[in-house]
Amino acid sequence: MLTTISPMHFVVLSAALFAIGLFGAITKKNAITVLICIELMLSAVNINLVAFNMFVTPEAFIGQIFAIFVITVAAAEIGVGLAIMLTIYRNKLSVDLDDFDWMKW
Amino acid sequence: MPFDISLLTVEIILAALGLAILVMGLIIPSNTKRGLGPITVIGLIAALASAIATWNVQGSLFEGMFLVDQYATFFKITCLSAAVLVTFGCMKYVDQMKAQGEYYSILVFSVLGMSVMASAGDFITLFIGLELMTIAFIILVALNKRSAKSAEAGIKYVILASISSAALLYGLSLVYGMSGTIMIYDVARMVVGGSVSPLFVFGLVLLVAGLGFKISTVPFHMWSPDVYEGAPTPVTAFLAVGSKAASFAILLRLFMGGFIGVAETWVLLVAILAAMSMVIGNLLAIPQTNIKRMLAYSSIAQAGYILVGLVAATEAGVKGVMFYSFLYVFATMGAFVVVTAVYDKVKSDEIADYAGLAQRAPLLAVVLTISMLSMAGIPPLAGFAGKLYLFKAIIADYFWLALLGLIMSMISVYYYLRVCLVMYRDEPIDNTPIKTSGNVTVVLVVAMIATIILGIYPGPLSEVTNTAASTFFLH
């Protein structure tokens, strides 16, 4: 039954997703995995935005429009990230974050 | 409400300039690409002139999503001045990197992002401006493809910037959910005087974390020494000034414009971040041997000083932040243009290689000394006046923070003067004088004169910041 789902269900779901993404982004060693974890965090944001749109401001599409902006900009950001990883892979033949130690981390 | 396109003059000029340079960089032959630098400078000066000319214009577009007030215009002028100085002073470095078209167009787009941020009236505009600036900076940091350090700095910056953006967005989504609006000043009306839910407060904490990354406050500062060291020096300079000023603009707009009604939930948190930034930034700057890393830690400390204005949460605090951001442009630009000029000749950023700079290039040594003393807050230089305004705003309520700022400023004199000692006392290994080209000399003289005059005679700028700070609370 849809009516039994409250905004809190969505908040808990998105908080869990955000926490998983943040944990992965901090602990994973492979740069591509880290980017995937960042995508999880942004998905958590989108769940929040769309759910709040439904429950808080059902008469206006504020949250949904915001979510579309987030999706678009996140794609651009991840695109730049992958391009940089391509460059660094050509230099070092690795995308393992532990190998990036030219500077003190 | 009629749509007044003239309110967007600065943004339109910047967007057109960025696109024009991008196209020109693709079609003109590579031996003429040196000309893109002067074109960028002229375009940026035109944008700066139009920002100054529209100083008195106020209004809003898209039903309050885009605000034009003197507060926004002031930060636009600050960022544009920094962009003009960095472009004019570092052309040779960029020519050696052989990516003029990309560098100049992306630099202009990052300025466009900053100016959108300064004018943001709602969360979407804020986010778009912030991401435009951040993505532009990610590309600029990693632009030097032949340098392994530049690519490494780029990968560190892109990962940490994305995490911070995600945290910021999560905070924004919680604030939207709890208040039901994304307009910053409507949020202020929703929360005024009332108690807020724990989720709202959690959202505020995430916002502090996300923006704390952009202004590099402790404990979100880990990226800045690496990125500052690895990035091309002009980019480092602009990252230290422009990105910080624009992020402070948005931080103030959000917290003092939107969340002032629940100030007691975040003021103490910001005060602790400011205190930690001052202590850790200044203490970690002491052992550094690379001048870019040292300036990175010093800029973490400067972020701590500027945050003091937010702790005050009054009009005097806003004024202090604006004043300090403006003078910080000239001190930092002076220092980094010197670092660039020395690097062009010596190919090193180590402080030990600055030995005898006073004999090899007296102007460079003098400007670096004055810029650093200004950052340390020695009277009669501009930094002293800036710190005075900032700490005066909190001396009554947060005496411990003002005292800590004073002590840490004194400690900072130590590592700034250590560089001066190397420049003036040590004998140079190589006695050949370092020649600076005409435009570098102009930038250095402008930065030096501005730093001295703003310190001796801060009255006019103080008046300007007072007016601008008063428009901040009118909406």
Side-chain angles (χ1 to χ4, degrees), chain B residues 195-282:
Chain B
S195 60
V196 286
S197 68
L199 272 180
F200 190 94
V201 178
F202 183 57
L204 292 188
V205 173
L206 284 174
L207 284 179
V208 171
L211 287 169
F213 171 88
K214 305 286 177 202
I215 55 175
S216 69
T217 55
V218 176
F220 314 107
H221 68 289
M222 307 83 71
W223 62 281
S224 72
D226 282 350
V227 171
Y228 279 30
E229 186 187 343
T233 313
V235 177
T236 310
F238 199 46
L239 192 62
V241 175
S243 143
K244 216 165 252 196
S247 305
F248 269 109
I250 206 67
L251 192 66
L252 255 63
R253 183 85 84 183
L254 268 179
F255 281 81
M256 312 246 314
F259 313 137
I260 190 78
V262 286
E264 71 278 6
T265 56
W266 51 264
V267 163
L268 191 62
L269 176 69
V270 176
I272 291 168
L273 289 189
M276 279 164 60
S277 302
M278 287 179 210
V279 172
I280 293 181
N282 279 320

Side-chain angles (χ1 to χ4, degrees), chain B residues 19-274:
Chain B
L19 290 172
I21 293 165
L22 188 64
V23 172
M24 275 193 280
L26 292 173
I27 58 176
I28 64 173
S30 52
N31 56 347
T32 56
K33 279 191 184 166
R34 287 172 51 225
L36 288 174
I39 294 174
T40 314
V41 172
I42 292 168
L44 286 172
I45 289 175
L48 179 62
S50 79
I52 294 171
T54 55
W55 171 249
N56 285 316
V57 177
Q58 301 209 26
S60 69
L61 289 172
F62 312 113
E63 306 193 342
M65 291 173 89
F66 192 89
L67 305 169
V68 180
D69 52 12
Q70 285 171 339
Y71 172 78
T73 313
F74 183 85
F75 275 103
K76 285 179 199 175
I77 292 173
T78 307
C79 294
L80 281 164
S81 318
V84 170
L85 289 177
V86 77
T87 318
F88 199 55
C90 301
M91 284 186 197
K92 199 172 159 208
Y93 191 102
V94 180
D95 288 340
Q96 285 169 351
M97 217 157 52
K98 297 222 177 1
Q100 293 100 331
E102 294 87 342
Y103 173 83
Y104 289 121
S105 63
I106 294 169
L107 183 96
V108 172
F109 284 129
S110 76
V111 185
L112 175 62
M114 288 169 201
S115 113
V116 171
M117 278 163 85
S119 280
D122 78 320
F123 297 165
I124 296 181
T125 319
L126 181 163
F127 168 64
I128 294 296
L130 190 73
E131 285 301 294
L132 182 54
M133 181 189 85
T134 308
I135 295 177
F137 269 123
I138 293 169
I139 301 172
L140 286 174
V141 165
L143 196 62
N144 198 350
K145 279 193 287 187
R146 279 163 303 174
S147 154
K149 268 189 176 182
S150 179
E152 185 183 322
I155 207 163
K156 285 175 179 170
Y157 191 50
V158 72
I159 288 173
L160 290 170
S162 309
I163 295 177
S164 82
S165 294
L168 177 82
L169 277 172
Y170 200 77
L172 288 178
S173 77
L174 286 177
V175 171
Y176 158 64
M178 294 301 118
S179 64
T181 175
I182 57 167
M183 314 299 287
I184 294 171
Y185 287 97
D186 284 353
V187 175
R189 280 184 274 278
M190 298 293 291
V191 299
V192 65
S195 60
V196 286
S197 68
L199 272 180
F200 190 94
V201 178
F202 183 57
L204 292 188
V205 173
L206 284 174
L207 284 179
V208 171
L211 287 169
F213 171 88
K214 305 286 177 202
I215 55 175
S216 69
T217 55
V218 176
F220 314 107
H221 68 289
M222 307 83 71
W223 62 281
S224 72
D226 282 350
V227 171
Y228 279 30
E229 186 187 343
T233 313
V235 177
T236 310
F238 199 46
L239 192 62
V241 175
S243 143
K244 216 165 252 196
S247 305
F248 269 109
I250 206 67
L251 192 66
L252 255 63
R253 183 85 84 183
L254 268 179
F255 281 81
M256 312 246 314
F259 313 137
I260 190 78
V262 286
E264 71 278 6
T265 56
W266 51 264
V267 163
L268 191 62
L269 176 69
V270 176
I272 291 168
L273 289 189

Side-chain angles (χ1 to χ4, degrees), chain A residues 8 10-11 14-16 18 22 25-26 31 34-35 38 41-42 44-45 48-50 52-54 56-57 60-66 69-71 73-74 76-78 80-81 84-85 87-88 91 95 97 99-105, chain B residues 123-124 127-128 131-132 134-135 138-139 142 145-156 158-163 165-167 169-170 172-174 176-182 199 206 214 222-223 225-227 229-230 288-289 293:
Chain A
M8 270 307 131
F10 287 100
V11 172
S14 79
F18 187 83
L22 185 61
I26 292 170
V34 171
L35 284 191
I38 291 166
M41 294 166 78
L42 291 167
V45 173
N48 249 356
L49 286 173
V50 175
F52 284 139
N53 194 141
M54 162 100 181
V56 182
T57 55
F61 293 124
I62 306 171
Q64 300 197 22
I65 291 172
F66 201 165
F69 274 100
V70 173
I71 294 168
V73 174
E77 198 163 14
I78 299 298
V80 172
I84 292 174
M85 274 170 212
T87 329
I88 209 163
N91 275 328
V95 286
L97 289 179
D99 291 340
F100 303 152
D101 51 2
W102 286 294
M103 289 176 284
K104 296 167 262 182
W105 173 241
Chain B
F123 297 165
I124 296 181
F127 168 64
I128 294 296
E131 285 301 294
L132 182 54
T134 308
I135 295 177
I138 293 169
I139 301 172
K145 279 193 287 187
R146 279 163 303 174
S147 154
K149 268 189 176 182
S150 179
E152 185 183 322
I155 207 163
K156 285 175 179 170
V158 72
I159 288 173
L160 290 170
S162 309
I163 295 177
S165 294
L169 277 172
Y170 200 77
L172 288 178
S173 77
L174 286 177
Y176 158 64
M178 294 301 118
S179 64
T181 175
I182 57 167
L199 272 180
L206 284 174
K214 305 286 177 202
M222 307 83 71
W223 62 281
D226 282 350
V227 171
E229 186 187 343
Q288 300 305 323
T289 55
R293 272 188 102 81

